Amino acid sequence: MENPQFTLLAVDDDATQLELLRVICEKIEFPSIEYLSAETGTQGLETVKSRSVDLVLTDYRLPDINGLEVLKRIKADNPLVSVVVMTAFEDARDAVHILQNGGDDYLVKPTRKDEIEHLIVRIFEKSCVVRENQIVQREIEESFDGLSMVVFQSRAMQQVLNLVSRSARSDAIILITGESGTGKELMARLIHKSSLRKEQPFVTVNIAALPESLMESELFGHAKGSFTGADQDRAGRFEEADGGSLFIDEVGDIPPSIQVKLLRAIQFGQIQRLGENHTRQLNVRIIAATNRDLEGLVAEGSFRTDLYWRLNVVNVTIPPLRARKEDIPPLVEHFIRIFNLKNNRSIQGITREALDLLMRLPFHGNVRELENMIERGIIMARGTHISLRDLESAGVKTSFEDEIHQLCDSATGTDYQEKMNSFEKQLISCALREAKGNQSEAARRLKISERRLRSRLEILGIHNSPDQEASGSGLDANVELPRHDRRDRGIQD
């Protein structure tokens, strides 16, 4: 089908059910539908990874993994894909589990033709709304100023901003935690802009960028002659921020000798310049940030317990981008606008295939990494939209190592051995897929012998089908398990 508006993937081990769903999709005139099918959960997951899919319609009972597990893995990888689970029995507990794990809906078999049609149209309309309103300003928009500084769509970031909105107008010390690249300084600026001190100075100091010998002078200032090269008095960052906010970035890197003086500054509002004997009274609101585990540093004795509790009055934890992938589309649009202006380009957006690639990436560098990718994509783009080829030309791709990180999070099972088997099956399948079914190459990627790989394939029941390389899948890695008892699960007209 040329230029389909909507792609549906049906996952069911009943060939009759799949055929009936295909017929229904062909008869729907709007939207035009590209119909894909898979007979196992594993095949379905592989299809979602390799294709752009809008809706996954999966049976609950499958021969390898159940529909709930399919739902969990798809939503973890790309929350924008709608997933609807079909169940053979009307069990309220199944419905609750499906919805609690992010399912967009559930259907009870036997399903009716009109139910399927209404479902597809509804999901299509929902996807249109999401695409047209990617930068979502939640109900907290009016609760504090400066929200336009933060681009978000996820519930996780909504909760973070709710906490910020409640604490910004106080003078409480705020500790912002999160991985590098999540936007801790941006959040600190938002807090200041939303506070009663917004007309006063906002001063930043990055502890990690300072040598220990200059750290005290940088924070608290120094008097003339206090050390070699101090040819005049100098105010420190605390004094510069008097009346406003001081943002101390990477506070976990402060050495013990400076921690004592920082504690006094926080506790009594007093600082003493290096080389002076008298104190200065200041009014400074502290916002600190770190990507380190301060509790762990306290436990090992490298960070003062009393300073930790002084700093940790309000803790704002920014989740990593891989835990809030709903924010990727609005961030992409935001960065396209920024880098169009910076690079004198007029890129109108990003193709669905390119966005799907971004949704599959783990983003260990978080928002900063995404920002870098979009700028390179803007520069490399040949057409009106950033395409998959443009991203790949800019060096963006899902590497074997990236997929391993994702597999660690997706391993399933109730005990250690089951989880290990699940991880190993996925790891080997990933290596074979990357090697396009070539076992020698897959063994090299895994850094094991080909003999051992063949042994593990046999033990784990993984079937490598390199003849499918031409179709683009490279691998049909299905674990053969006993098929469950078939039931009459047809679609009623």
Side-chain angles (χ1 to χ4, degrees), residues 135-348:
I135 301 178
V136 178
Q137 302 296 350
R138 303 290 186 179
E139 65 273 7
I140 62 173
E141 182 173 1
E142 297 180 358
S143 64
F144 61 98
D145 297 332
L147 184 61
S148 59
M149 298 168 61
V150 181
V151 177
F152 74 101
Q153 185 168 291
S154 66
R155 181 174 178 80
M157 282 303 293
Q158 178 182 339
Q159 292 172 342
V160 169
L161 292 169
N162 265 316
L163 175 59
V164 168
S165 69
R166 294 196 303 271
S167 56
R169 297 178 69 82
S170 73
D171 272 344
I173 297 173
I174 295 182
L175 177 63
I176 305 173
T177 57
E179 297 178 6
S180 289
T182 51
K184 296 188 289 295
E185 182 172 348
L186 179 65
M187 192 62 66
R189 291 182 181 277
L190 173 60
I191 291 168
H192 174 73
K193 186 174 176 62
S194 305
S195 73
L196 299 176
R197 298 171 179 257
K198 61 184 178 182
E199 303 300 330
Q200 301 302 317
F202 176 81
V203 179
T204 68
V205 56
N206 188 330
I207 297 299
L210 297 174
E212 185 173 345
S213 58
L214 295 179
M215 200 174 295
E216 183 177 354
S217 171
E218 191 70 22
L219 285 170
F220 307 113
H222 63 259
K224 180 179 179 179
S226 56
F227 56 86
T228 303
D231 53 359
Q232 60 183 359
D233 290 349
R234 181 183 182 278
R237 298 300 177 90
F238 266 91
E239 288 182 72
E240 291 176 6
D242 192 19
S245 303
L246 176 63
F247 174 55
I248 307 176
D249 199 7
E250 304 302 346
V251 71
D253 292 338
I254 295 181
S257 59
I258 308 297
Q259 290 178 25
V260 178
K261 296 189 176 183
L262 178 60
L263 178 63
R264 181 175 181 82
I266 293 173
Q267 189 168 355
F268 300 108
Q270 297 177 345
I271 61 104
Q272 185 173 322
R273 286 184 180 180
L274 188 64
E276 286 187 347
N277 294 322
H278 62 277
T279 60
R280 299 168 184 264
Q281 194 73 33
L282 301 175
N283 176 20
V284 178
R285 200 258 182 94
I286 302 292
I287 306 171
T290 183
N291 61 9
R292 304 183 66 182
D293 176 14
L294 288 189
E295 287 191 28
L297 297 178
V298 169
E300 68 183 31
S302 59
F303 200 87
R304 294 179 62 98
T305 305
D306 46 5
L307 177 58
Y308 170 71
W309 289 116
R310 284 288 178 184
L311 291 172
N312 196 28
V313 177
V314 177
N315 183 266
V316 175
T317 300
I318 304 178
L321 186 57
R322 61 184 171 276
R324 50 183 178 99
K325 289 190 173 182
E326 302 95 317
D327 291 334
I328 292 177
L331 283 168
V332 168
E333 296 299 324
H334 174 69
F335 290 139
I336 287 175
R337 286 195 296 272
I338 289 176
F339 294 121
N340 268 338
L341 292 173
K342 179 180 176 181
N343 297 286
N344 194 29
R345 299 299 306 271
S346 56
I347 302 302
Q348 297 175 14

